[in-house]
Amino acid sequence: MEKRLFSLSSYGSGWSANRRIAIVASAVAVLLAIAGIVALLTGGGNGPQAPDTAAPAPAGSPSPSEAASKPSAGSGSVSQPPQIAEPVAYAKAAAQMLWSYDTRDTSRDQQLSGMRAWLTTETKYADWASVSGQVPDPVLWSRMADQDQHATASVTEGHYPSAFKQALADDPSAITEAYIYVVTVNGTQQIAWKKGGGGAEERAVTLAVQCRPNHDCTLAAIAPSVTQ
């Protein structure tokens, strides 16, 4: 019987309405003036992908994710957040984390626990729904585990979307309330399952990353659609 690929990081349905309002209105008000970013933060998301699409995961070449410490017993194979204070570098590490999973040794609850460790503790800006929504429901996770499904990925690059850079250029001080940066990351994910099955897919994600001065960065939210 044909084995199917299940997408992990594309599983979510986007930012919740309350969190979108908080992030847009309170965190980066300057972005309200930029049509492209407004569309990014409030537009319709990429819905759950069909079960036969490949899922994302980090791995590969030396990258910021390698600065992360080994995962704790409570988070299975999910890497712990690295101590990085630069938005793009942190976003690349976060994308690799989001694109990584291993149902052979990590339960769904452990996956969620490990992902939550990356989230900002500032509840005003944390959109946990957009992050936790990347994880398949318990039934689908169980089906993936039955096939020993696991994924790794390599990040090719990360950058600030052009509209975000323009917004900062127009009003550099506007970001200083919440210090939330919009970063798009591109990469490739490899997925594998029982009996040598596998596949690969190009991945892209746009993240909201909080990087206050003199503090390590944290993840604030995952955008419902990718902006380059």
Side-chain angles (χ1 to χ4, degrees):
M1 181 176 64
E2 179 185 359
K3 304 298 189 302
R4 288 183 176 272
L5 304 181
F6 299 96
S7 176
L8 180 62
S9 73
S10 299
Y11 190 81
S13 59
W15 294 355
S16 67
N18 289 341
R19 293 306 183 192
R20 283 200 301 266
I21 292 171
I23 291 172
V24 174
S26 301
V28 281
V30 65
L31 301 185
L32 292 173
I34 306 299
I37 294 297
V38 171
L40 165 66
L41 298 182
T42 61
N46 296 326
Q49 291 190 358
D52 53 347
T53 55
S61 57
S63 68
S65 64
E66 294 183 353
S69 55
K70 294 181 179 179
S72 66
S75 60
S77 62
V78 183
S79 61
Q80 293 182 0
Q83 296 180 325
I84 295 176
E86 197 282 316
V88 173
Y90 187 87
K92 290 168 68 177
Q96 286 194 321
M97 178 275 297
L98 293 168
W99 294 342
S100 285
Y101 62 89
D102 193 336
T103 64
R104 298 170 299 179
D105 60 13
T106 305
S107 69
R108 182 176 182 273
D109 286 345
Q110 286 177 315
Q111 186 76 25
L112 288 168
S113 176
M115 293 167 68
R116 182 177 280 278
W118 291 67
L119 199 69
T120 176
T121 57
E122 297 186 37
T123 56
K124 183 178 182 180
Y125 307 120
D127 183 5
W128 172 237
S130 71
V131 179
S132 62
Q134 308 304 303
V135 179
D137 62 50
V139 173
L140 182 52
W141 186 272
S142 178
R143 291 175 61 192
M144 294 163 62
D146 288 343
Q147 297 300 324
D148 292 341
Q149 186 169 315
H150 53 285
T152 58
S154 56
V155 166
T156 54
E157 66 88 35
H159 65 275
Y160 299 120
S162 58
F164 179 74
K165 290 191 293 185
Q166 184 60 55
L168 290 182
D170 290 344
D171 189 354
S173 66
I175 202 170
T176 58
E177 178 183 347
Y179 287 96
I180 289 180
Y181 300 81
V182 178
V183 183
T184 293
V185 180
N186 291 281
T188 302
Q189 179 229 10
Q190 295 81 35
I191 188 171
W193 60 91
K194 282 182 178 179
K195 299 181 180 179
E201 186 177 71
E202 297 301 309
R203 307 303 301 180
V205 65
T206 297
L207 308 172
V209 174
Q210 186 178 46
C211 298
R212 289 195 180 278
N214 304 315
H215 288 80
D216 294 329
C217 295
T218 55
L219 179 62
I222 300 173
S225 58
V226 176
T227 292
Q228 297 290 352

Coordinates of all heavy atoms in Angstrom, one line a residue, residues 88-160:
V88 N 17.3 37.4 11.9 CA 17.3 36.5 10.8 C 17.9 35.2 11.2 O 17.4 34.1 10.9 CB 18.0 37.1 9.6 CG1 18.2 36.1 8.5 CG2 17.3 38.3 9.1
A89 N 19.0 35.2 12.0 CA 19.6 34.0 12.4 C 18.7 33.2 13.3 O 18.6 31.9 13.2 CB 20.9 34.3 13.2
Y90 N 17.9 33.8 14.2 CA 17.0 33.1 15.0 C 15.8 32.6 14.2 O 15.4 31.4 14.5 CB 16.5 34.1 16.1 CG 15.6 33.3 17.1 CD1 16.2 32.7 18.3 CD2 14.2 33.2 17.0 CE1 15.4 32.0 19.2 CE2 13.5 32.5 17.9 CZ 14.0 31.9 19.0 OH 13.3 31.2 19.9
A91 N 15.3 33.3 13.3 CA 14.2 32.9 12.4 C 14.6 31.6 11.7 O 13.8 30.7 11.5 CB 13.8 34.0 11.5
K92 N 15.9 31.6 11.2 CA 16.3 30.4 10.5 C 16.4 29.2 11.4 O 16.0 28.1 11.0 CB 17.7 30.7 9.9 CG 17.7 31.7 8.7 CD 19.1 32.1 8.3 CE 19.9 31.1 7.7 NZ 21.3 31.6 7.3
A93 N 16.8 29.4 12.6 CA 16.8 28.3 13.6 C 15.4 27.8 13.9 O 15.1 26.6 14.0 CB 17.6 28.7 14.9
A94 N 14.5 28.8 14.1 CA 13.1 28.5 14.4 C 12.5 27.7 13.2 O 11.7 26.8 13.5 CB 12.3 29.8 14.7
A95 N 12.7 28.1 12.0 CA 12.2 27.4 10.9 C 12.6 26.0 10.8 O 11.9 25.0 10.6 CB 12.6 28.1 9.6
Q96 N 13.9 25.7 11.1 CA 14.4 24.4 11.2 C 13.7 23.6 12.3 O 13.4 22.4 12.1 CB 15.9 24.4 11.4 CG 16.7 24.8 10.2 CD 18.2 24.4 10.3 OE1 18.8 24.6 11.3 NE2 18.8 24.0 9.2
M97 N 13.5 24.2 13.4 CA 12.8 23.5 14.5 C 11.4 23.1 14.0 O 10.9 22.0 14.2 CB 12.7 24.4 15.7 CG 11.9 23.8 16.9 SD 10.1 24.1 16.8 CE 10.0 25.9 16.9
L98 N 10.7 24.1 13.4 CA 9.3 23.9 12.9 C 9.2 22.8 11.9 O 8.3 22.0 11.7 CB 8.7 25.1 12.4 CG 8.4 26.3 13.4 CD1 8.1 27.6 12.7 CD2 7.3 25.9 14.3
W99 N 10.3 22.7 11.1 CA 10.3 21.7 10.0 C 10.9 20.4 10.4 O 11.2 19.5 9.6 CB 11.1 22.3 8.8 CG 10.5 23.5 8.2 CD1 9.2 23.9 8.3 CD2 11.1 24.4 7.4 NE1 9.0 25.0 7.6 CE2 10.2 25.4 7.0 CE3 12.4 24.6 6.9 CZ2 10.4 26.5 6.2 CZ3 12.7 25.7 6.1 CH2 11.7 26.6 5.7
S100 N 11.1 20.2 11.7 CA 11.7 18.9 12.2 C 10.7 18.2 13.1 O 10.1 18.8 13.9 CB 13.0 19.2 13.0 OG 14.0 19.5 12.2
Y101 N 10.7 16.9 12.9 CA 9.9 16.1 13.9 C 10.3 14.6 13.7 O 10.9 14.2 12.7 CB 8.4 16.2 13.6 CG 7.9 15.8 12.3 CD1 7.6 14.4 12.0 CD2 7.9 16.7 11.2 CE1 7.1 14.0 10.8 CE2 7.4 16.2 10.0 CZ 7.1 14.9 9.8 OH 6.7 14.5 8.5
D102 N 10.1 13.8 14.7 CA 10.4 12.4 14.6 C 9.4 11.6 15.5 O 9.5 11.6 16.7 CB 11.8 12.2 15.2 CG 12.3 10.8 14.8 OD1 11.5 9.9 14.6 OD2 13.5 10.6 14.8
T103 N 8.4 11.1 14.8 CA 7.3 10.4 15.5 C 7.8 9.1 16.2 O 7.1 8.5 16.9 CB 6.2 10.1 14.6 OG1 6.6 9.2 13.6 CG2 5.6 11.4 14.0
R104 N 9.1 8.7 15.8 CA 9.6 7.4 16.4 C 9.9 7.6 17.9 O 9.9 6.6 18.6 CB 10.8 7.0 15.6 CG 10.6 6.6 14.2 CD 11.9 6.4 13.4 NE 12.7 7.6 13.4 CZ 13.9 7.7 12.9 NH1 14.4 6.7 12.2 NH2 14.6 8.8 12.9
D105 N 10.3 8.8 18.3 CA 10.7 9.0 19.7 C 10.1 10.2 20.3 O 10.4 10.6 21.4 CB 12.2 9.0 19.8 CG 12.8 10.2 19.0 OD1 12.1 11.1 18.6 OD2 14.1 10.2 18.8
T106 N 9.1 10.8 19.7 CA 8.5 12.0 20.2 C 7.0 11.9 20.1 O 6.5 11.7 19.0 CB 9.0 13.3 19.4 OG1 10.4 13.3 19.4 CG2 8.5 14.6 20.0
S107 N 6.3 12.1 21.2 CA 4.9 12.1 21.2 C 4.4 13.5 20.7 O 5.1 14.5 20.7 CB 4.3 11.8 22.6 OG 4.6 12.9 23.5
R108 N 3.1 13.5 20.4 CA 2.5 14.8 20.0 C 2.6 15.8 21.1 O 3.0 17.0 20.9 CB 1.1 14.6 19.6 CG 0.4 15.9 19.1 CD -1.0 15.6 18.6 NE -1.6 16.8 18.1 CZ -2.3 17.7 18.8 NH1 -2.4 17.5 20.2 NH2 -2.9 18.8 18.3
D109 N 2.4 15.4 22.4 CA 2.5 16.3 23.5 C 3.9 16.8 23.7 O 4.1 18.0 24.0 CB 2.0 15.6 24.8 CG 0.5 15.5 24.8 OD1 -0.2 16.1 24.1 OD2 0.0 14.7 25.7
Q110 N 4.9 16.0 23.5 CA 6.3 16.4 23.5 C 6.6 17.4 22.4 O 7.4 18.3 22.7 CB 7.2 15.2 23.5 CG 7.3 14.3 24.7 CD 8.1 13.1 24.5 OE1 8.1 12.4 23.5 NE2 9.0 12.8 25.5
Q111 N 6.1 17.1 21.3 CA 6.3 18.1 20.1 C 5.8 19.5 20.5 O 6.5 20.5 20.3 CB 5.6 17.6 18.9 CG 5.9 18.4 17.6 CD 7.3 18.1 17.1 OE1 7.9 17.0 17.3 NE2 7.9 19.0 16.3
L112 N 4.6 19.5 21.0 CA 4.0 20.8 21.4 C 4.8 21.4 22.6 O 5.1 22.7 22.5 CB 2.6 20.6 21.8 CG 1.6 20.3 20.7 CD1 0.3 19.8 21.3 CD2 1.4 21.5 19.8
S113 N 5.2 20.7 23.5 CA 6.0 21.2 24.7 C 7.3 21.8 24.2 O 7.7 22.9 24.6 CB 6.3 20.1 25.7 OG 7.1 20.5 26.7
G114 N 8.0 21.1 23.3 CA 9.2 21.6 22.7 C 9.1 22.9 22.0 O 9.9 23.8 22.0
M115 N 8.0 22.9 21.2 CA 7.8 24.1 20.4 C 7.4 25.3 21.3 O 7.8 26.5 21.0 CB 6.6 23.9 19.4 CG 7.0 22.9 18.3 SD 5.6 22.2 17.3 CE 5.1 23.7 16.5
R116 N 6.7 25.1 22.3 CA 6.3 26.2 23.2 C 7.5 26.9 23.9 O 7.5 28.1 24.2 CB 5.4 25.7 24.3 CG 4.9 26.8 25.3 CD 3.9 26.3 26.3 NE 2.5 26.1 25.8 CZ 1.7 27.1 25.7 NH1 2.0 28.4 26.0 NH2 0.5 26.9 25.2
A117 N 8.6 26.1 24.0 CA 9.8 26.7 24.7 C 10.4 27.8 23.8 O 11.1 28.7 24.3 CB 10.8 25.6 24.9
W118 N 10.1 27.8 22.5 CA 10.6 28.9 21.6 C 9.8 30.2 21.7 O 10.2 31.2 21.2 CB 10.6 28.4 20.2 CG 11.6 27.3 19.9 CD1 11.6 26.0 20.4 CD2 12.8 27.4 19.1 NE1 12.7 25.3 20.0 CE2 13.4 26.1 19.1 CE3 13.3 28.4 18.3 CZ2 14.6 25.9 18.4 CZ3 14.5 28.2 17.6 CH2 15.1 26.9 17.7
L119 N 8.6 30.1 22.2 CA 7.6 31.2 22.2 C 8.0 32.3 23.2 O 8.4 32.0 24.3 CB 6.2 30.7 22.5 CG 5.0 31.6 22.1 CD1 4.9 31.6 20.5 CD2 3.7 31.1 22.7
T120 N 7.8 33.5 22.8 CA 8.0 34.6 23.7 C 7.1 34.5 24.9 O 6.0 34.0 24.9 CB 7.7 36.0 23.0 OG1 7.9 37.1 24.0 CG2 6.3 36.1 22.5
T121 N 7.7 34.9 26.1 CA 6.9 34.9 27.3 C 6.0 36.1 27.5 O 5.2 36.2 28.4 CB 7.8 34.7 28.5 OG1 8.7 35.9 28.5 CG2 8.6 33.4 28.5
E122 N 6.1 37.0 26.6 CA 5.3 38.2 26.6 C 3.9 37.9 26.0 O 3.8 37.9 24.8 CB 5.9 39.4 25.9 CG 7.2 39.8 26.5 CD 7.8 41.1 25.9 OE1 7.0 42.0 25.5 OE2 9.0 41.2 25.8
T123 N 3.0 37.5 26.8 CA 1.7 37.0 26.3 C 1.0 38.0 25.4 O 0.1 37.6 24.6 CB 0.8 36.7 27.5 OG1 0.6 37.8 28.3 CG2 1.4 35.5 28.3
K124 N 1.3 39.3 25.5 CA 0.6 40.3 24.7 C 1.0 40.1 23.2 O 0.2 40.4 22.3 CB 1.1 41.7 25.1 CG 0.5 42.8 24.3 CD 1.0 44.2 24.9 CE 0.4 45.3 24.2 NZ 0.9 46.6 24.7
Y125 N 2.1 39.5 22.9 CA 2.6 39.3 21.6 C 2.7 37.9 21.1 O 3.0 37.6 20.0 CB 4.0 40.0 21.4 CG 4.0 41.4 21.8 CD1 4.8 41.8 22.9 CD2 3.2 42.3 21.2 CE1 4.9 43.2 23.3 CE2 3.2 43.7 21.6 CZ 4.0 44.1 22.7 OH 4.0 45.4 23.1
A126 N 2.5 36.9 22.1 CA 2.7 35.5 21.7 C 1.4 34.9 21.1 O 0.4 35.0 21.7 CB 3.0 34.7 23.0
D127 N 1.6 34.4 19.9 CA 0.4 33.8 19.2 C 0.7 32.3 19.2 O 1.1 31.7 18.2 CB 0.3 34.3 17.8 CG -0.9 33.7 17.1 OD1 -1.7 33.0 17.7 OD2 -1.0 34.0 15.9
W128 N 0.4 31.6 20.3 CA 0.6 30.2 20.5 C -0.2 29.4 19.5 O 0.2 28.4 19.0 CB 0.4 29.7 21.9 CG 0.4 28.2 22.1 CD1 -0.6 27.5 22.6 CD2 1.5 27.4 21.8 NE1 -0.2 26.2 22.7 CE2 1.1 26.1 22.2 CE3 2.8 27.5 21.3 CZ2 1.9 24.9 22.0 CZ3 3.6 26.4 21.1 CH2 3.1 25.1 21.5
A129 N -1.4 29.9 19.2 CA -2.3 29.2 18.2 C -1.7 29.0 16.9 O -1.8 28.0 16.2 CB -3.6 29.9 18.1
S130 N -0.9 30.0 16.4 CA -0.3 29.9 15.1 C 0.9 28.9 15.1 O 1.2 28.4 14.1 CB 0.2 31.3 14.6 OG 1.3 31.7 15.4
V131 N 1.5 28.7 16.3 CA 2.6 27.8 16.4 C 2.1 26.4 16.6 O 2.4 25.4 15.9 CB 3.5 28.2 17.5 CG1 4.7 27.2 17.7 CG2 4.1 29.6 17.3
S132 N 1.2 26.2 17.6 CA 0.7 24.9 17.9 C -0.2 24.3 16.7 O -0.3 23.1 16.5 CB -0.2 24.9 19.2 OG -1.3 25.7 19.0
G133 N -0.7 25.2 15.9 CA -1.5 24.8 14.8 C -0.7 24.1 13.7 O -1.3 23.6 12.8
Q134 N 0.6 24.2 13.8 CA 1.5 23.5 12.9 C 1.5 22.0 13.1 O 2.0 21.2 12.2 CB 2.9 24.0 12.9 CG 3.0 25.5 12.8 CD 2.4 26.1 11.6 OE1 2.8 25.7 10.5 NE2 1.5 27.0 11.8
V135 N 1.1 21.5 14.3 CA 1.2 20.1 14.6 C -0.1 19.4 14.3 O -1.2 19.9 14.6 CB 1.4 20.0 16.1 CG1 1.5 18.5 16.5 CG2 2.7 20.7 16.5
P136 N -0.1 18.3 13.6 CA -1.3 17.6 13.2 C -2.1 17.1 14.4 O -1.6 17.0 15.5 CB -0.7 16.3 12.5 CG 0.6 16.8 12.0 CD 1.1 17.7 13.0
D137 N -3.4 16.9 14.2 CA -4.2 16.5 15.3 C -3.8 15.1 15.8 O -3.0 14.4 15.1 CB -5.7 16.5 14.9 CG -6.0 15.5 13.8 OD1 -5.6 14.3 13.8 OD2 -6.6 15.9 12.8
P138 N -4.2 14.7 17.0 CA -3.8 13.4 17.6 C -4.0 12.2 16.6 O -3.1 11.3 16.6 CB -4.6 13.2 18.8 CG -4.9 14.7 19.2 CD -5.1 15.4 17.9
V139 N -5.1 12.1 15.9 CA -5.3 11.0 15.0 C -4.3 10.9 13.9 O -3.7 9.9 13.6 CB -6.7 11.0 14.4 CG1 -6.9 9.9 13.4 CG2 -7.8 10.9 15.5
L140 N -4.0 12.1 13.3 CA -3.0 12.1 12.2 C -1.6 11.9 12.7 O -0.8 11.1 12.1 CB -3.1 13.5 11.5 CG -2.2 13.6 10.3 CD1 -2.3 12.5 9.3 CD2 -2.4 15.0 9.6
W141 N -1.3 12.4 13.9 CA 0.0 12.1 14.5 C 0.2 10.6 14.7 O 1.3 10.1 14.4 CB 0.2 12.9 15.8 CG 1.6 12.8 16.3 CD1 2.0 11.8 17.2 CD2 2.7 13.7 16.1 NE1 3.3 12.0 17.5 CE2 3.8 13.2 16.8 CE3 2.8 14.8 15.3 CZ2 5.0 13.8 16.8 CZ3 4.1 15.5 15.3 CH2 5.2 14.9 16.1
S142 N -0.9 10.0 15.2 CA -0.8 8.5 15.4 C -0.6 7.8 14.1 O 0.2 6.8 14.1 CB -2.1 8.1 16.1 OG -2.1 6.7 16.2
R143 N -1.2 8.2 13.0 CA -1.0 7.6 11.7 C 0.4 7.8 11.2 O 1.0 6.8 10.7 CB -2.0 8.2 10.7 CG -3.4 7.8 11.0 CD -4.4 8.5 10.0 NE -4.1 8.2 8.6 CZ -4.6 8.8 7.6 NH1 -5.4 9.9 7.8 NH2 -4.3 8.4 6.3
M144 N 1.0 8.9 11.5 CA 2.4 9.2 11.1 C 3.3 8.3 11.9 O 4.3 7.8 11.4 CB 2.7 10.7 11.3 CG 1.9 11.6 10.4 SD 1.9 13.4 11.0 CE 3.7 13.7 11.0
A145 N 3.0 8.2 13.2 CA 3.8 7.4 14.1 C 3.8 5.9 13.7 O 4.8 5.2 13.8 CB 3.4 7.5 15.5
D146 N 2.6 5.4 13.2 CA 2.5 4.1 12.7 C 3.5 3.8 11.6 O 3.9 2.6 11.4 CB 1.1 3.8 12.3 CG 0.1 3.7 13.4 OD1 0.5 3.5 14.6 OD2 -1.1 3.8 13.1
Q147 N 3.8 4.8 10.9 CA 4.8 4.7 9.7 C 6.2 5.1 10.1 O 7.0 5.2 9.2 CB 4.2 5.5 8.5 CG 2.9 5.0 8.0 CD 3.0 3.5 7.5 OE1 4.0 3.1 7.0 NE2 1.9 2.8 7.7
D148 N 6.4 5.4 11.4 CA 7.8 5.9 11.8 C 8.2 7.1 11.0 O 9.4 7.3 10.7 CB 8.8 4.8 11.6 CG 8.7 3.6 12.6 OD1 7.9 3.8 13.6 OD2 9.2 2.5 12.3
Q149 N 7.2 8.0 10.7 CA 7.6 9.1 9.9 C 8.4 10.1 10.7 O 8.2 10.4 11.9 CB 6.3 9.8 9.5 CG 6.5 11.0 8.5 CD 5.2 11.4 7.9 OE1 4.4 10.6 7.4 NE2 5.1 12.7 7.8
H150 N 9.4 10.6 10.0 CA 10.3 11.6 10.6 C 10.9 12.5 9.5 O 10.8 12.2 8.3 CB 11.5 11.0 11.3 CG 12.3 10.0 10.5 ND1 11.8 8.7 10.2 CD2 13.5 10.1 10.0 CE1 12.7 8.0 9.5 NE2 13.7 8.8 9.3
A151 N 11.3 13.7 9.8 CA 11.7 14.7 8.8 C 12.9 15.5 9.3 O 13.0 15.8 10.5 CB 10.5 15.6 8.5
T152 N 13.7 15.9 8.4 CA 14.8 16.8 8.6 C 14.8 17.8 7.4 O 14.2 17.6 6.4 CB 16.2 16.0 8.6 OG1 16.3 15.3 7.4 CG2 16.2 15.1 9.8
A153 N 15.6 18.9 7.6 CA 15.6 19.9 6.5 C 16.8 20.8 6.6 O 17.5 20.8 7.7 CB 14.3 20.8 6.6
S154 N 17.1 21.4 5.6 CA 18.2 22.4 5.5 C 17.7 23.7 5.1 O 16.8 23.8 4.3 CB 19.3 21.9 4.5 OG 18.8 21.8 3.2
V155 N 18.1 24.8 5.8 CA 17.7 26.1 5.5 C 18.7 26.7 4.5 O 19.9 26.7 4.7 CB 17.7 27.0 6.8 CG1 17.6 28.5 6.5 CG2 16.5 26.6 7.7
T156 N 18.1 27.3 3.5 CA 19.0 27.9 2.5 C 19.2 29.4 2.7 O 20.3 29.9 2.4 CB 18.4 27.7 1.1 OG1 17.1 28.2 1.0 CG2 18.4 26.2 0.7
E157 N 18.2 30.1 3.2 CA 18.4 31.5 3.5 C 17.2 32.1 4.3 O 16.2 31.5 4.3 CB 18.6 32.3 2.2 CG 17.3 32.3 1.3 CD 16.4 33.5 1.6 OE1 16.9 34.6 1.9 OE2 15.2 33.3 1.5
G158 N 17.5 33.3 4.9 CA 16.5 34.0 5.6 C 16.6 35.5 5.3 O 17.8 36.0 5.1
H159 N 15.5 36.2 5.2 CA 15.6 37.6 4.9 C 14.4 38.4 5.4 O 13.3 37.8 5.7 CB 15.8 37.8 3.4 CG 14.5 37.4 2.6 ND1 14.4 36.1 2.2 CD2 13.4 38.1 2.2 CE1 13.2 36.0 1.6 NE2 12.6 37.1 1.6
Y160 N 14.5 39.7 5.5 CA 13.4 40.6 5.8 C 12.6 40.8 4.5 O 13.2 41.2 3.5 CB 13.8 41.9 6.3 CG 14.6 41.8 7.6 CD1 15.9 42.3 7.7 CD2 14.0 41.3 8.8 CE1 16.6 42.3 8.9 CE2 14.7 41.2 10.0 CZ 16.0 41.7 10.0 OH 16.7 41.7 11.2

